[in-house]
Amino acid sequence: MTKDMPTWGVVATVDEPPVLVQAFVAWYLSLGAAQVFIYCDRPDDPVQDLLSHLPQVSVVACDEAHWLRVGKSRPRRHEVRQVRNAREAYGRMNADWLLHCDADEYIFPRRPVTGTLATVAADADGLVVPVAERVHLPHASEESIFTGAFRRPFQGPAARRRQIFGPDFDLTYRGLTGHSQGKAFVRKDRALQLSIHRPQPIRPDQQLVLERASVTALELLHFDGLTPTFWVYKLARMLHALKKRDGMPPSAHRSRQAEELMADPDGGLRLYDRLKRPDTQLINLLKQRDLWADPAFDPSEPLARYFPAHPADLRPSAIDDWLYRKKASVLNFLHT
C-alpha cells in the first residue's frame, strides 16, 4: 500500500431485489472501489448474470460447495453466513482496505474515500464510519427507494432523547430503528476477524486500534426499510427465523418493534410511519442538535453508467412487487 493512494473494496452478502444490488455495486464502483465482493445467499440468484460484465466485481454463489470450502455446511443463521463470507473476502482481497456492509448501506464521502483512508494512522487496524438512517420528509413525493433525508443517533442521556423523540423512543436505539454502530473499513493483513460492525481480535489479550471517521469526511447512509413494506418484511423475517431457531437473538429495540408488529400484524405500515416519518417539529429539533443530514445521494448516474443495458426501476412499488413475488411466505407468516 502507498500511503498517498490506498486502494479499497467492499463486501456484502445479498438476497435482495436485483435492482438494489445493481445500485450498491454501481455506487461503490463510482466512488473508486477497486474490488466489490458479492456473495449470493441464494445460489440461483439472477443478479449474478447482471454483474458478470464488471471485472472489478467478484460474485460468489453460496452453494454447499462454497460453504464447505470456507468452513463447513451452510450456517443456519444469516448473520453467521454474512460474517463467514466477509472473512473469506478479507483473505482473498488485493485491496488495502475492506468495508463490510449490507446492500442497503451506502457510504457518502464528502471528500474522496481514498484520501480519507490515507490519513488513518499506520498503527490503526480499522476506520469506523458513523451511520445516519433514512427517514421521510413530510408531504414529499417518493418516486425512488432512495428518496428522503437522514437522522443521526441521539447523544446524551436517554431521558433527554426520549423527551425529544416522543413516546416511541423505546422502539429505537438512540433514535434509530436499525443500528447506531456504523460499519468499519479494515486494513489488509491484520491479525483480526471481520464481524458485522467491528473487526474482532483473534486473541483475548489483543488490542485493536480503531479510528472513527468524521461525518465531514465519511458517513454511512442506512436505508433501513427501502419501502414501508420492506421494513415490515425484515421484521417478519426476523420473527420467522427465530421461530425456526435460525436467527440471532434480536436487540432490545428490535424485539419491541417485533412485539408491536405481532400485537397488530395489519398495522405494520402504521408502525413504520410512527418511527420513520418525523414531523416538522422533530426535524427542527434534530437540525438544532446536528442530528440531521440531507446529502445529495442519488445512484441514478452510476446505475446508468455501469448498467446501460439494464435500466434500474427504483420505484418503491417495484421493490414491493418483488417482495410479494419472492418473499410472500415470510410476509404471510405474520398471519399464521
Side-chain angles (χ1 to χ4, degrees), residues 26-286:
W27 181 254
Y28 282 99
L29 290 179
S30 76
L31 297 184
Q35 293 180 281
V36 178
F37 297 93
I38 297 295
Y39 288 82
C40 294
D41 204 35
R42 290 182 294 115
D44 61 347
D45 194 327
V47 79
Q48 296 172 74
D49 294 332
L50 290 175
L51 305 178
S52 61
H53 66 292
L54 297 169
Q56 309 98 315
V57 181
S58 174
V59 183
V60 177
C62 295
D63 54 18
E64 192 59 25
H66 163 73
W67 292 119
L68 292 175
R69 186 172 63 251
V70 301
K72 49 187 177 181
S73 295
R74 182 179 189 266
R76 291 173 62 88
R77 292 178 172 178
H78 176 67
E79 297 87 350
V80 176
R81 300 197 298 273
Q82 288 179 299
V83 168
R84 192 168 293 176
N85 287 336
R87 292 175 180 176
E88 204 248 355
Y90 185 64
R92 294 172 54 200
M93 74 172 186
N94 298 317
D96 300 312
W97 293 85
L98 184 67
L99 172 71
H100 177 210
C101 62
D102 295 334
D104 62 354
E105 295 176 325
Y106 296 72
I107 56 172
F108 188 83
R110 293 176 174 86
R111 61 184 185 182
V113 176
T114 189
T116 297
L117 293 174
T119 66
V120 179
D123 65 343
D125 299 296
L127 178 71
V128 177
V129 183
V131 68
E133 184 181 277
R134 193 271 299 273
V135 294
H136 301 281
L137 296 169
H139 313 301
S141 61
E142 295 170 5
E143 299 175 355
S144 165
I145 55 174
F146 297 114
T147 300
F150 299 82
R151 63 181 168 214
R152 296 168 176 149
F154 276 104
Q155 309 298 322
R160 180 59 177 156
R161 304 177 210 162
R162 193 173 290 110
Q163 182 182 7
I164 296 170
F165 191 96
D168 288 327
F169 176 79
D170 291 334
L171 298 177
T172 74
Y173 185 72
R174 295 176 61 190
L176 305 187
T177 60
H179 66 86
S180 68
Q181 298 95 318
K183 295 292 173 75
F185 281 95
V186 180
R187 200 190 293 271
K188 182 182 179 181
D189 294 333
R190 295 296 168 109
L192 49 79
Q193 293 183 325
L194 268 67
S195 190
I196 297 294
H197 295 282
R198 303 278 193 277
Q200 301 296 321
I202 293 177
R203 304 185 314 272
D205 62 338
Q206 184 179 347
Q207 295 294 318
L208 295 183
V209 179
L210 300 177
E211 292 190 9
R212 184 176 177 86
S214 166
V215 295
T216 60
L218 287 177
E219 197 160 26
L220 185 79
L221 307 182
H222 186 193
F223 293 85
D224 182 45
L226 293 170
T227 72
T229 301
F230 205 95
W231 187 81
V232 172
Y233 155 74
K234 286 180 66 176
L235 274 183
R237 183 181 64 184
M238 180 188 76
L239 290 165
H240 189 250
L242 289 172
K243 183 176 182 180
K244 297 192 301 178
R245 299 183 180 179
D246 285 355
M248 299 286 282
S251 57
H253 73 287
R254 284 292 199 196
S255 292
R256 295 186 191 106
Q257 292 169 15
E259 289 168 4
E260 289 274 328
L261 183 60
M262 290 300 292
D264 182 12
D266 294 319
L269 302 185
R270 292 189 294 274
L271 177 61
Y272 180 93
D273 286 348
R274 283 162 49 190
L275 300 178
K276 305 282 277 188
R277 297 188 188 276
D279 58 23
T280 302
Q281 180 181 5
L282 177 54
I283 291 172
N284 288 336
L285 288 171
L286 293 171

